């Protein structure tokens, strides 16, 4: 991909980042207290969201390259940025946002498969969604599990683009979020910012893990 194209995608990501806080406020509920022991609140800097979104978009563009599914990956990433913000704010992954991400992924990948003449990749995407969803259903049903079904639904949606890339990306996308989340929990426990009963959002870890899996593919 050319440098000019990457710059354009970075600018697009920055524009998305400007909108992300506005959209997330519409879905974040103020009456939910996510942290039993409140974590330090980050200083509000208006440039953070555009920089994060631009970095996410450029990373995806470099990894996916000229694949016809690139717009699909960027669209899912845009919705994912909103989902991450909402989950951090109030421990919720709103169904309407997850549904939008799922429809964008399924519709876009179906179109990409038809245009490229590779129906097998669509089957891989559907298989990825089924495997990711089933794996997280099992995790949610384990005794003492704190995995919510919003996390299960998001994992299934993320399985679509990961399955499109292949089973290696899907496996990484299944494992990395839990490695990241586990490391975060251990760090917060060691710093005595939380205790073992504190609920922490998993959505951001699912999204970051999927992004890293795309980069590593």
């Amino acid at each position: 991909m050319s440098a000019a194209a990457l710059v354009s995608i970075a600018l697009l990501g920055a524009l998305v980042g400007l909108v992300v806080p506005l959209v997330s406020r519409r879905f974040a509920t103020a009456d939910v207290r996510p942290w039993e022991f409140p974590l330090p609140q980050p200083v509000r800097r208006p440039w953070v969201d555009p920089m994060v979104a631009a970095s996410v978009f450029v990373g995806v563009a470099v990894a996916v390259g000229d694949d016809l599914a690139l717009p699909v990956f960027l669209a899912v990433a845009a919705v994912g940025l909103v989902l991450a913000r909402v989950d951090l704010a109030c421990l919720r992954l709103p169904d309407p946002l997850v549904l939008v991400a799922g429809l964008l992924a399924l519709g876009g990948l179906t179109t990409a498969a038809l245009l490229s003449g590779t129906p097998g990749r669509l089957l891989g995407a559907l298989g990825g969604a089924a495997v990711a969803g089933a794996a997280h259903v099992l995790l949610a049903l384990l005794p003492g599990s704190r995995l919510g079904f919003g996390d299960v639904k998001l994992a299934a949606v993320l399985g679509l683009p990961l399955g499109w890339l292949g089973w290696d990306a899907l496996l990484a996308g299944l494992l990395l979020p839990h490695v990241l989340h586990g490391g975060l929990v251990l760090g917060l426990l060691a710093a005595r910012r939380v205790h073992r009963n504190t609920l922490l959002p998993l959505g951001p870890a699912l999204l970051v893990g999927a992004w890293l899996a795309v980069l590593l593919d």
Side-chain angles (χ1 to χ4, degrees), residues 1-213:
M1 182 172 291
S2 68
L6 288 177
V7 170
S8 298
I9 289 173
L11 291 174
L12 176 61
L15 290 174
V16 168
L18 291 173
V19 177
V20 164
L22 302 176
V23 178
S24 64
R25 288 191 200 107
R26 296 179 63 87
F27 290 93
T29 53
D31 58 333
V32 176
R33 183 183 179 188
W35 318 109
E36 189 170 341
F37 293 100
L39 298 177
Q41 294 299 310
V43 178
R44 293 186 178 182
R45 296 185 175 91
W47 47 267
V48 171
D49 286 289
M51 284 191 64
V52 170
S55 300
V56 168
F57 271 43
V58 169
V60 169
V62 170
V64 177
D66 296 325
D67 193 311
L68 287 176
L70 175 59
V72 182
F73 280 75
L74 296 179
V76 173
V79 180
L81 289 165
V82 179
L83 281 166
R85 248 184 169 272
V86 174
D87 203 18
L88 286 169
C90 60
L91 284 177
R92 288 181 64 241
L93 290 168
D95 284 341
L97 288 175
V98 177
L99 178 61
V100 167
L103 291 176
L104 287 171
L106 182 58
L109 292 176
T110 300
T111 302
L114 292 174
L115 291 176
S116 61
T118 54
R121 297 192 74 179
L122 179 59
L123 292 176
L126 294 173
V131 169
H136 285 81
V137 165
L138 293 176
L139 290 175
L141 294 176
L142 289 175
S145 173
R146 296 188 177 186
L147 193 70
F149 275 87
D151 300 315
V152 172
K153 287 178 277 191
L154 177 59
V157 168
L158 295 176
L160 286 165
L162 293 174
W164 175 271
L165 293 177
W167 292 105
D168 288 342
L170 178 63
L171 180 60
L174 289 175
L175 295 177
L176 284 173
H178 299 284
V179 173
L180 294 171
H181 187 71
L184 174 64
V185 171
L186 289 176
L188 291 173
L189 285 171
R192 297 184 178 180
R193 298 304 310 172
V194 300
H195 62 55
R196 285 179 296 178
N197 294 323
T198 304
L199 292 175
L200 296 172
L202 180 62
L206 289 171
L207 291 158
V208 173
W211 181 67
L212 291 174

